[in-house]
Amino acid sequence: MAEIDLTVERLVAGGDGLGFHAGRAVFIPFTAPGDHVRARLTRMGKHFHRAEVATLLAPGPERIAPLCSLYGHCGGCQLQHLQPQSCQMAKQGFVVDALHRIGHIADAAALTRPLLAAPVTTGYRRRASFKVREIQGRILVGFFAPGSHHLLDLAHCPVLHPALASLLHPLRHLLGTLTMRARLPQVDVVQGDNGTALICHLLDPLSGKDRERLIQFARDLGLLQLWLQGGRKHNLLPLVTETEPLYHLDGLELRFRPGDFTQANFEQNQHLVRQAMAWAGSGSRAVDLFCGVGNLTLPLGQRFTEVLGLEGYGPAVERGLANAQANRLGHIAFRQMELHGKPPLPIPELTEADICLVNPPRTGALSVMKSLVAAQVPRVVYVACDPATFARDAAHLVHHGYRLEQVQPLDMLPLTHHVETIALFVWSGPS
Protein backbone atom coordinates (compact mmCIF):
# COMPACT_ATOMS: atom_id res chain seq x y z
CA MET A 1 0.00 0.00 0.00
CA ALA A 2 1.03 3.61 -0.59
CA GLU A 3 2.61 5.81 2.07
CA ILE A 4 1.51 9.37 2.79
CA ASP A 5 2.70 12.17 5.08
CA LEU A 6 0.22 13.96 7.33
CA THR A 7 -0.27 15.57 10.72
CA VAL A 8 -2.70 14.15 13.26
CA GLU A 9 -5.29 16.73 14.30
CA ARG A 10 -7.14 14.98 17.12
CA LEU A 11 -8.26 11.64 18.51
CA VAL A 12 -11.64 10.09 17.79
CA ALA A 13 -13.75 7.42 19.49
CA GLY A 14 -11.84 4.16 19.50
CA GLY A 15 -8.57 6.01 20.17
CA ASP A 16 -7.41 6.47 16.57
CA GLY A 17 -5.74 9.66 15.45
CA LEU A 18 -7.49 11.65 12.72
CA GLY A 19 -5.65 13.41 9.92
CA PHE A 20 -6.49 14.45 6.38
CA HIS A 21 -4.86 13.78 3.03
CA ALA A 22 -6.15 14.88 -0.36
CA GLY A 23 -9.46 15.84 1.18
CA ARG A 24 -10.09 12.47 2.82
CA ALA A 25 -10.06 11.59 6.48
CA VAL A 26 -7.34 9.15 7.52
CA PHE A 27 -7.60 7.17 10.79
CA ILE A 28 -4.32 6.01 12.34
CA PRO A 29 -4.10 4.07 15.62
CA PHE A 30 -1.44 4.79 18.26
CA THR A 31 -0.96 8.40 17.22
CA ALA A 32 -1.25 11.62 19.20
CA PRO A 33 -2.47 15.11 18.31
CA GLY A 34 0.33 17.00 16.58
CA ASP A 35 2.19 13.88 15.45
CA HIS A 36 3.70 14.30 11.99
CA VAL A 37 3.82 10.81 10.50
CA ARG A 38 4.52 8.89 7.37
CA ALA A 39 1.53 6.58 7.28
CA ARG A 40 1.11 3.34 5.34
CA LEU A 41 -2.43 2.97 3.98
CA THR A 42 -4.02 -0.30 5.07
CA ARG A 43 -7.52 0.27 3.70
CA MET A 44 -8.73 2.79 1.17
CA GLY A 45 -12.39 3.73 1.20
CA LYS A 46 -14.61 6.10 -0.73
CA HIS A 47 -14.97 8.53 2.15
CA PHE A 48 -12.05 7.73 4.47
CA HIS A 49 -8.86 5.70 4.68
CA ARG A 50 -7.24 3.65 7.42
CA ALA A 51 -3.48 3.58 7.94
CA GLU A 52 -0.67 2.60 10.28
CA VAL A 53 2.41 4.52 11.29
CA ALA A 54 5.34 3.70 9.03
CA THR A 55 7.61 6.42 10.47
CA LEU A 56 7.05 8.94 13.25
CA LEU A 57 8.60 11.98 11.57
CA ALA A 58 8.04 14.35 14.50
CA PRO A 59 6.17 13.59 17.74
CA GLY A 60 3.36 15.86 18.86
CA PRO A 61 3.58 17.71 22.20
CA GLU A 62 1.12 15.34 23.89
CA ARG A 63 3.07 12.14 23.18
CA ILE A 64 4.93 10.29 25.95
CA ALA A 65 6.75 6.95 26.18
CA PRO A 66 4.37 4.02 26.83
CA LEU A 67 4.63 1.93 30.01
CA CYS A 68 4.56 -1.49 28.39
CA SER A 69 7.10 -3.00 26.00
CA LEU A 70 4.26 -4.73 24.11
CA TYR A 71 2.29 -1.52 23.62
CA GLY A 72 1.19 -1.13 20.02
CA HIS A 73 1.46 -4.87 19.47
CA CYS A 74 -1.09 -5.82 22.15
CA GLY A 75 -4.73 -4.89 21.70
CA GLY A 76 -5.43 -4.30 25.38
CA CYS A 77 -4.49 -0.60 25.56
CA GLN A 78 -4.75 2.21 23.02
CA LEU A 79 -3.72 5.40 24.86
CA GLN A 80 -0.52 4.64 26.77
CA HIS A 81 1.33 7.06 24.50
CA LEU A 82 -0.71 10.09 25.65
CA GLN A 83 -0.05 12.44 28.55
CA PRO A 84 -2.68 11.84 31.28
CA GLN A 85 -4.38 15.21 30.82
CA SER A 86 -4.50 14.73 27.05
CA CYS A 87 -6.04 11.29 27.54
CA GLN A 88 -8.71 12.75 29.80
CA MET A 89 -9.54 15.52 27.34
CA ALA A 90 -9.72 13.00 24.49
CA LYS A 91 -12.18 10.77 26.36
CA GLN A 92 -14.38 13.69 27.27
CA GLY A 93 -14.28 14.67 23.60
CA PHE A 94 -15.47 11.20 22.58
CA VAL A 95 -18.64 11.71 24.63
CA VAL A 96 -19.31 15.27 23.49
CA ASP A 97 -18.65 14.42 19.84
CA ALA A 98 -21.05 11.46 19.94
CA LEU A 99 -23.80 13.58 21.50
CA HIS A 100 -23.30 16.23 18.79
CA ARG A 101 -22.86 13.94 15.81
CA ILE A 102 -25.20 11.05 16.67
CA GLY A 103 -27.55 12.55 19.24
CA HIS A 104 -27.89 15.97 17.54
CA ILE A 105 -27.74 17.62 20.98
CA ALA A 106 -26.46 21.11 20.27
CA ASP A 107 -25.50 22.08 23.82
CA ALA A 108 -23.69 18.82 24.62
CA ALA A 109 -20.40 20.54 25.45
CA ALA A 110 -22.03 22.90 27.97
CA LEU A 111 -23.86 20.01 29.66
CA THR A 112 -20.79 17.78 29.94
CA ARG A 113 -18.66 18.00 33.06
CA PRO A 114 -14.88 17.47 32.99
CA LEU A 115 -13.99 13.79 32.93
CA LEU A 116 -13.61 12.19 36.35
CA ALA A 117 -10.09 10.77 36.18
CA ALA A 118 -9.10 7.50 37.82
CA PRO A 119 -6.96 7.82 40.98
CA VAL A 120 -4.51 5.23 39.58
CA THR A 121 -3.90 4.14 36.00
CA THR A 122 -2.08 0.83 36.59
CA GLY A 123 -2.90 -2.31 38.52
CA TYR A 124 -6.61 -1.48 38.54
CA ARG A 125 -8.16 -4.07 36.24
CA ARG A 126 -9.92 -6.79 38.25
CA ARG A 127 -11.28 -8.86 35.39
CA ALA A 128 -9.79 -10.04 32.10
CA SER A 129 -10.15 -12.74 29.46
CA PHE A 130 -6.86 -14.48 28.70
CA LYS A 131 -6.71 -16.08 25.27
CA VAL A 132 -4.93 -19.43 25.06
CA ARG A 133 -3.15 -21.13 22.15
CA GLU A 134 -0.71 -24.00 21.72
CA ILE A 135 1.79 -23.30 18.95
CA GLN A 136 4.52 -25.84 18.19
CA GLY A 137 4.23 -27.31 21.66
CA ARG A 138 4.43 -23.94 23.41
CA ILE A 139 1.51 -22.59 25.46
CA LEU A 140 0.70 -18.92 24.87
CA VAL A 141 -1.47 -16.98 27.33
CA GLY A 142 -2.30 -13.34 26.71
CA PHE A 143 -4.25 -10.91 24.56
CA PHE A 144 -4.78 -10.59 20.83
CA ALA A 145 -2.92 -8.04 18.74
CA PRO A 146 -5.09 -5.11 17.54
CA GLY A 147 -7.66 -6.18 14.94
CA SER A 148 -6.35 -9.72 14.65
CA HIS A 149 -6.30 -13.19 16.21
CA HIS A 150 -2.53 -13.14 16.57
CA LEU A 151 -1.93 -13.93 20.24
CA LEU A 152 0.74 -12.13 22.24
CA ASP A 153 2.21 -14.18 25.08
CA LEU A 154 2.22 -12.03 28.23
CA ALA A 155 4.79 -12.20 31.01
CA HIS A 156 3.22 -9.22 32.79
CA CYS A 157 0.61 -6.51 32.21
CA PRO A 158 0.71 -3.07 33.88
CA VAL A 159 -3.07 -2.56 33.97
CA LEU A 160 -3.97 -5.91 35.57
CA HIS A 161 -4.55 -6.17 39.29
CA PRO A 162 -1.33 -7.69 40.70
CA ALA A 163 -3.13 -10.88 41.78
CA LEU A 164 -4.32 -11.47 38.21
CA ALA A 165 -0.95 -10.61 36.67
CA SER A 166 0.67 -13.16 39.01
CA LEU A 167 -1.56 -15.89 37.51
CA LEU A 168 0.03 -15.72 34.07
CA HIS A 169 3.01 -17.97 34.80
CA PRO A 170 1.26 -20.68 36.87
CA LEU A 171 -1.68 -20.72 34.46
CA ARG A 172 0.66 -21.24 31.52
CA HIS A 173 2.33 -24.11 33.37
CA LEU A 174 -1.03 -25.70 34.26
CA LEU A 175 -2.33 -25.55 30.71
CA GLY A 176 0.80 -27.29 29.48
CA THR A 177 -0.08 -30.32 31.63
CA LEU A 178 -3.64 -30.73 30.32
CA THR A 179 -4.33 -33.37 27.68
CA MET A 180 -7.06 -31.23 26.10
CA ARG A 181 -5.13 -27.93 26.15
CA ALA A 182 -5.76 -27.44 22.42
CA ARG A 183 -9.49 -27.36 23.21
CA LEU A 184 -9.30 -24.67 25.91
CA PRO A 185 -9.22 -21.33 24.06
CA GLN A 186 -9.86 -18.86 26.92
CA VAL A 187 -9.60 -18.40 30.68
CA ASP A 188 -11.59 -15.62 32.35
CA VAL A 189 -10.14 -14.27 35.60
CA VAL A 190 -11.76 -12.00 38.17
CA GLN A 191 -10.44 -10.56 41.42
CA GLY A 192 -12.71 -9.84 44.35
CA ASP A 193 -11.79 -8.12 47.58
CA ASN A 194 -11.41 -11.58 49.11
CA GLY A 195 -9.61 -13.51 46.36
CA THR A 196 -9.56 -14.80 42.79
CA ALA A 197 -11.97 -16.85 40.66
CA LEU A 198 -11.62 -18.38 37.16
CA ILE A 199 -13.69 -19.68 34.27
CA CYS A 200 -12.09 -22.14 31.85
CA HIS A 201 -13.80 -22.13 28.43
CA LEU A 202 -13.92 -25.61 26.92
CA LEU A 203 -14.65 -26.89 23.44
CA ASP A 204 -14.79 -30.53 24.64
CA PRO A 205 -15.61 -32.19 27.98
CA LEU A 206 -12.78 -32.63 30.50
CA SER A 207 -11.10 -35.97 31.04
CA GLY A 208 -10.92 -37.28 34.59
CA LYS A 209 -7.19 -36.51 34.93
CA ASP A 210 -7.57 -32.99 33.58
CA ARG A 211 -10.39 -32.40 36.04
CA GLU A 212 -8.14 -33.50 38.90
CA ARG A 213 -5.33 -31.22 37.68
CA LEU A 214 -7.65 -28.21 37.57
CA ILE A 215 -9.01 -28.90 41.04
CA GLN A 216 -5.49 -29.26 42.44
CA PHE A 217 -4.44 -26.04 40.69
CA ALA A 218 -7.32 -24.18 42.34
CA ARG A 219 -6.41 -25.61 45.75
CA ASP A 220 -2.68 -24.89 45.38
CA LEU A 221 -3.34 -21.24 44.50
CA GLY A 222 -6.16 -20.81 47.00
CA LEU A 223 -8.71 -19.84 44.33
CA LEU A 224 -12.19 -18.98 45.55
CA GLN A 225 -13.91 -20.60 42.59
CA LEU A 226 -13.19 -22.36 39.29
CA TRP A 227 -15.96 -22.87 36.76
CA LEU A 228 -16.16 -24.58 33.38
CA GLN A 229 -17.99 -23.05 30.44
CA GLY A 230 -18.94 -24.74 27.20
CA GLY A 231 -20.62 -22.27 24.86
CA ARG A 232 -22.67 -19.45 26.41
CA LYS A 233 -22.41 -18.53 30.07
CA HIS A 234 -25.80 -20.11 30.77
CA ASN A 235 -23.87 -23.39 30.51
CA LEU A 236 -21.48 -22.64 33.39
CA LEU A 237 -20.64 -25.68 35.53
CA PRO A 238 -18.97 -25.45 38.97
CA LEU A 239 -15.71 -27.30 39.55
CA VAL A 240 -14.44 -25.56 42.71
CA THR A 241 -16.76 -23.32 44.74
CA GLU A 242 -15.13 -22.61 48.08
CA THR A 243 -16.78 -19.21 48.52
CA GLU A 244 -18.11 -16.44 46.31
CA PRO A 245 -15.92 -13.46 45.45
CA LEU A 246 -17.19 -10.17 46.83
CA TYR A 247 -16.57 -6.44 46.83
CA HIS A 248 -17.47 -3.63 49.20
CA LEU A 249 -19.44 -0.55 48.24
CA ASP A 250 -20.08 2.24 50.74
CA GLY A 251 -20.97 -0.06 53.62
CA LEU A 252 -22.52 -2.75 51.41
CA GLU A 253 -21.07 -6.18 50.62
CA LEU A 254 -21.92 -7.63 47.19
CA ARG A 255 -21.17 -11.23 46.28
CA PHE A 256 -20.91 -12.44 42.70
CA ARG A 257 -19.66 -15.28 40.54
CA PRO A 258 -17.13 -15.12 37.69
CA GLY A 259 -19.88 -15.14 35.02
CA ASP A 260 -21.68 -12.12 36.50
CA PHE A 261 -21.02 -8.61 35.25
CA THR A 262 -19.03 -6.42 37.61
CA GLN A 263 -17.05 -3.31 36.82
CA ALA A 264 -13.38 -4.01 36.10
CA ASN A 265 -12.26 -1.06 38.23
CA PHE A 266 -13.68 -1.34 41.75
CA GLU A 267 -12.23 2.00 42.88
CA GLN A 268 -13.84 3.95 40.04
CA ASN A 269 -17.04 2.00 40.52
CA GLN A 270 -17.32 3.69 43.94
CA HIS A 271 -17.29 7.11 42.22
CA LEU A 272 -19.76 5.96 39.56
CA VAL A 273 -22.28 4.74 42.13
CA ARG A 274 -21.94 7.86 44.29
CA GLN A 275 -22.61 10.12 41.30
CA ALA A 276 -25.58 8.01 40.18
CA MET A 277 -27.04 8.13 43.69
CA ALA A 278 -26.51 11.90 43.95
CA TRP A 279 -28.66 12.35 40.85
CA ALA A 280 -31.16 9.66 41.85
CA GLY A 281 -31.91 11.39 45.15
CA SER A 282 -34.45 9.66 47.39
CA GLY A 283 -38.15 8.90 47.33
CA SER A 284 -40.79 6.20 47.22
CA ARG A 285 -40.19 3.99 44.17
CA ALA A 286 -37.15 3.27 42.01
CA VAL A 287 -36.53 0.85 39.14
CA ASP A 288 -33.06 -0.38 38.12
CA LEU A 289 -32.82 -1.85 34.62
CA PHE A 290 -29.94 -4.19 33.70
CA CYS A 291 -29.35 -4.43 37.43
CA GLY A 292 -26.91 -7.37 37.52
CA VAL A 293 -26.08 -8.47 41.07
CA GLY A 294 -27.30 -5.15 42.51
CA ASN A 295 -24.41 -2.72 42.06
CA LEU A 296 -26.84 0.20 41.75
CA THR A 297 -29.94 -1.53 43.09
CA LEU A 298 -28.69 -1.93 46.64
CA PRO A 299 -27.57 1.70 46.99
CA LEU A 300 -31.02 2.70 45.70
CA GLY A 301 -32.49 0.53 48.45
CA GLN A 302 -30.79 2.78 50.99
CA ARG A 303 -32.67 5.79 49.57
CA PHE A 304 -36.06 4.55 48.31
CA THR A 305 -38.97 2.79 49.99
CA GLU A 306 -39.58 0.32 47.14
CA VAL A 307 -36.94 -0.78 44.62
CA LEU A 308 -37.21 -3.20 41.70
CA GLY A 309 -34.21 -4.58 39.83
CA LEU A 310 -34.71 -6.16 36.39
CA GLU A 311 -32.04 -8.28 34.71
CA GLY A 312 -31.97 -10.75 31.83
CA TYR A 313 -29.36 -13.15 33.27
CA GLY A 314 -31.17 -15.38 35.75
CA PRO A 315 -28.20 -16.36 37.96
CA ALA A 316 -27.36 -12.66 38.50
CA VAL A 317 -30.95 -12.08 39.63
CA GLU A 318 -30.49 -14.82 42.24
CA ARG A 319 -27.29 -13.17 43.47
CA GLY A 320 -28.96 -9.76 43.58
CA LEU A 321 -31.76 -11.09 45.76
CA ALA A 322 -29.25 -12.80 48.06
CA ASN A 323 -27.21 -9.60 48.28
CA ALA A 324 -30.28 -7.58 49.23
CA GLN A 325 -31.19 -10.05 51.95
CA ALA A 326 -27.62 -10.26 53.28
CA ASN A 327 -27.48 -6.46 53.51
CA ARG A 328 -30.90 -6.32 55.25
CA LEU A 329 -32.59 -4.57 52.35
CA GLY A 330 -35.66 -6.79 52.16
CA HIS A 331 -37.77 -4.13 50.42
CA ILE A 332 -35.76 -4.63 47.21
CA ALA A 333 -37.34 -7.00 44.66
CA PHE A 334 -35.54 -8.60 41.70
CA ARG A 335 -37.09 -10.08 38.59
CA GLN A 336 -35.64 -11.77 35.53
CA MET A 337 -36.66 -10.06 32.31
CA GLU A 338 -35.23 -9.77 28.81
CA LEU A 339 -34.76 -6.05 28.25
CA HIS A 340 -33.83 -6.13 24.56
CA GLY A 341 -37.25 -7.14 23.26
CA LYS A 342 -39.49 -5.19 20.93
CA PRO A 343 -41.19 -2.19 22.56
CA PRO A 344 -43.31 -1.59 24.44
CA LEU A 345 -41.66 -3.68 27.14
CA PRO A 346 -44.12 -4.81 29.84
CA ILE A 347 -42.73 -2.94 32.86
CA PRO A 348 -45.83 -1.62 34.64
CA GLU A 349 -43.71 -0.44 37.62
CA LEU A 350 -42.28 2.35 35.45
CA THR A 351 -45.58 4.25 35.50
CA GLU A 352 -45.29 4.74 39.29
CA ALA A 353 -41.51 5.12 39.56
CA ASP A 354 -39.89 8.33 40.81
CA ILE A 355 -36.58 7.39 39.17
CA CYS A 356 -35.28 4.79 36.75
CA LEU A 357 -31.62 3.81 36.49
CA VAL A 358 -30.46 2.21 33.25
CA ASN A 359 -27.06 0.52 32.87
CA PRO A 360 -27.14 -1.45 29.61
CA PRO A 361 -24.34 -3.30 27.77
CA ARG A 362 -22.51 -1.68 24.84
CA THR A 363 -25.46 -2.27 22.52
CA GLY A 364 -27.48 0.30 24.47
CA ALA A 365 -31.17 0.07 25.26
CA LEU A 366 -33.36 1.71 22.62
CA SER A 367 -36.36 -0.48 23.51
CA VAL A 368 -36.08 0.66 27.12
CA MET A 369 -35.91 4.32 26.02
CA LYS A 370 -39.27 3.93 24.31
CA SER A 371 -40.75 2.41 27.46
CA LEU A 372 -39.42 5.28 29.58
CA VAL A 373 -41.02 7.82 27.27
CA ALA A 374 -44.32 5.94 27.31
CA ALA A 375 -44.30 5.83 31.13
CA GLN A 376 -43.06 9.43 31.48
CA VAL A 377 -40.73 8.48 34.35
CA PRO A 378 -39.85 11.80 36.06
CA ARG A 379 -36.08 11.20 36.31
CA VAL A 380 -33.75 8.86 34.44
CA VAL A 381 -30.11 8.19 35.31
CA TYR A 382 -28.35 6.47 32.42
CA VAL A 383 -24.96 4.75 32.92
CA ALA A 384 -23.28 3.96 29.61
CA CYS A 385 -20.07 2.26 28.49
CA ASP A 386 -20.30 3.19 24.79
CA PRO A 387 -20.58 6.84 23.68
CA ALA A 388 -22.21 6.00 20.35
CA THR A 389 -25.13 3.91 21.62
CA PHE A 390 -25.54 6.28 24.57
CA ALA A 391 -25.87 9.22 22.17
CA ARG A 392 -28.43 7.31 20.09
CA ASP A 393 -30.50 6.51 23.19
CA ALA A 394 -30.11 10.04 24.57
CA ALA A 395 -31.42 11.43 21.30
CA HIS A 396 -34.59 9.39 21.63
CA LEU A 397 -35.20 10.68 25.15
CA VAL A 398 -34.41 14.31 24.32
CA HIS A 399 -36.56 14.34 21.20
CA HIS A 400 -39.52 12.69 22.98
CA GLY A 401 -40.05 14.79 26.08
CA TYR A 402 -36.92 14.54 28.23
CA ARG A 403 -34.41 17.27 29.01
CA LEU A 404 -30.75 16.31 29.32
CA GLU A 405 -29.58 17.98 32.53
CA GLN A 406 -25.97 16.88 33.03
CA VAL A 407 -23.40 14.43 31.67
CA GLN A 408 -20.47 13.08 33.68
CA PRO A 409 -17.76 11.16 31.77
CA LEU A 410 -15.71 8.84 33.95
CA ASP A 411 -12.43 7.05 33.22
CA MET A 412 -13.26 3.48 34.21
CA LEU A 413 -10.49 1.85 32.13
CA PRO A 414 -7.38 4.09 32.10
CA LEU A 415 -4.90 3.76 29.22
CA THR A 416 -7.65 2.39 26.95
CA HIS A 417 -10.05 4.26 24.67
CA HIS A 418 -13.07 3.22 26.77
CA VAL A 419 -15.03 5.87 28.65
CA GLU A 420 -17.96 5.46 31.04
CA THR A 421 -20.75 8.05 31.00
CA ILE A 422 -23.39 8.93 33.58
CA ALA A 423 -26.24 11.22 32.53
CA LEU A 424 -29.33 12.71 34.16
CA PHE A 425 -32.56 13.20 32.19
CA VAL A 426 -35.66 14.95 33.53
CA TRP A 427 -39.15 14.62 32.04
CA SER A 428 -40.41 17.97 30.72
CA GLY A 429 -43.18 16.80 28.38
CA PRO A 430 -43.49 16.87 24.59
CA SER A 431 -42.45 20.17 23.03
Side-chain angles (χ1 to χ4, degrees):
M1 282 284 192
E3 294 186 356
I4 57 175
D5 291 1
L6 54 79
T7 298
V8 175
E9 296 187 3
R10 61 186 177 93
L11 298 190
V12 297
D16 291 349
L18 170 64
F20 292 88
H21 183 267
R24 282 189 174 84
V26 183
F27 298 99
I28 317 170
F30 304 113
T31 54
D35 279 355
H36 186 52
V37 301
R38 178 159 297 138
R40 183 180 302 110
L41 295 173
T42 57
R43 193 176 77 191
M44 299 179 67
K46 184 177 181 181
H47 301 292
F48 66 89
H49 303 326
R50 297 198 64 83
E52 61 186 12
V53 175
T55 306
L56 178 61
L57 301 174
E62 301 176 35
R63 176 177 284 276
I64 60 173
L67 295 171
C68 181
S69 60
L70 291 178
Y71 182 65
H73 303 286
C74 173
C77 297
Q78 301 81 32
L79 301 179
Q80 282 192 23
H81 63 286
L82 276 188
Q83 292 182 10
Q85 186 175 4
S86 301
C87 189
Q88 294 164 22
M89 293 296 294
K91 291 194 178 192
Q92 182 172 342
F94 299 163
V95 175
V96 173
D97 178 69
L99 287 171
H100 272 305
R101 184 172 45 85
I102 301 171
H104 306 291
I105 298 173
D107 54 350
L111 296 173
T112 303
R113 296 177 170 185
L115 179 130
L116 183 60
V120 296
T121 58
T122 59
Y124 67 84
R125 191 175 184 106
R126 289 182 177 243
R127 61 185 314 117
S129 294
F130 295 144
K131 306 300 181 183
V132 179
R133 294 289 186 275
E134 182 182 22
I135 299 179
Q136 297 180 345
R138 181 184 171 208
I139 301 297
L140 307 183
V141 179
F143 300 135
F144 287 141
S148 79
H149 287 92
H150 173 68
L151 183 60
L152 296 187
D153 196 33
L154 294 182
H156 62 87
C157 175
V159 301
L160 285 179
H161 186 282
L164 299 186
S166 70
L167 280 176
L168 286 164
H169 177 70
L171 188 58
R172 190 177 290 108
H173 176 74
L174 163 73
L175 294 170
T177 69
L178 300 181
T179 58
M180 50 81 68
R181 55 187 174 271
R183 306 295 290 167
L184 198 161
Q186 180 172 309
V187 177
D188 297 339
V189 294
V190 61
Q191 182 67 26
D193 287 345
N194 58 334
T196 310
L198 269 65
I199 297 175
C200 291
H201 291 251
L202 304 173
L203 301 179
D204 292 322
L206 277 180
S207 67
K209 286 190 175 181
D210 282 350
R211 179 179 295 269
E212 292 174 6
R213 291 186 180 104
L214 284 171
I215 292 173
Q216 190 61 48
F217 173 79
R219 289 173 176 166
D220 290 345
L221 270 67
L223 299 181
L224 300 178
Q225 295 191 345
L226 196 159
W227 291 71
L228 308 178
Q229 181 174 339
R232 300 176 66 83
K233 67 179 181 180
H234 294 82
N235 299 321
L236 277 166
L237 295 173
L239 190 61
V240 175
T241 54
E242 294 297 326
T243 187
E244 289 179 332
L246 61 84
Y247 65 97
H248 296 90
L249 181 64
D250 285 347
L252 299 168
E253 183 178 281
L254 285 85
R255 293 181 178 270
F256 62 97
R257 290 180 182 171
D260 299 332
F261 173 78
T262 56
Q263 293 289 357
N265 188 332
F266 284 5
E267 290 72 19
Q268 278 292 75
N269 181 57
Q270 298 269 356
H271 296 294
L272 182 151
V273 173
R274 288 169 189 163
Q275 181 59 72
M277 293 305 108
W279 283 344
S282 60
S284 298
R285 298 180 178 88
V287 177
D288 182 16
L289 305 181
F290 306 94
C291 66
V293 300
N295 187 58
L296 294 165
T297 329
L298 269 63
L300 282 173
Q302 297 175 316
R303 294 160 175 81
F304 287 82
T305 307
E306 296 179 21
V307 178
L308 172 66
L310 297 180
E311 164 65 39
Y313 182 48
V317 172
E318 296 173 8
R319 243 91 63 208
L321 181 59
N323 283 329
Q325 293 172 344
N327 286 274
R328 299 182 179 179
L329 296 169
H331 60 287
I332 300 178
F334 286 83
R335 188 167 75 234
Q336 183 177 3
M337 179 179 179
E338 175 54 57
L339 295 170
H340 289 293
K342 293 183 178 180
L345 296 173
I347 312 176
E349 292 86 355
L350 286 179
T351 59
E352 298 181 354
D354 302 315
I355 182 80
C356 181
L357 265 68
V358 188
N359 185 14
R362 296 194 180 281
T363 50
L366 188 56
S367 295
V368 166
M369 299 304 105
K370 294 178 180 180
S371 296
L372 294 172
V373 170
Q376 300 181 10
V377 180
R379 294 163 70 83
V380 174
V381 176
Y382 191 128
V383 179
C385 57
D386 182 81
T389 53
F390 163 64
R392 178 205 65 195
D393 292 352
H396 186 85
L397 293 181
V398 168
H399 299 301
H400 291 86
Y402 279 92
R403 182 175 67 253
L404 178 57
E405 291 282 315
Q406 294 184 78
V407 180
Q408 176 64 73
L410 184 143
D411 195 3
M412 184 66 74
L413 300 175
L415 305 181
T416 77
H417 68 82
H418 298 288
V419 56
E420 201 86 3
T421 307
I422 317 168
L424 172 63
F425 298 86
V426 175
W427 177 258
S428 58
S431 57

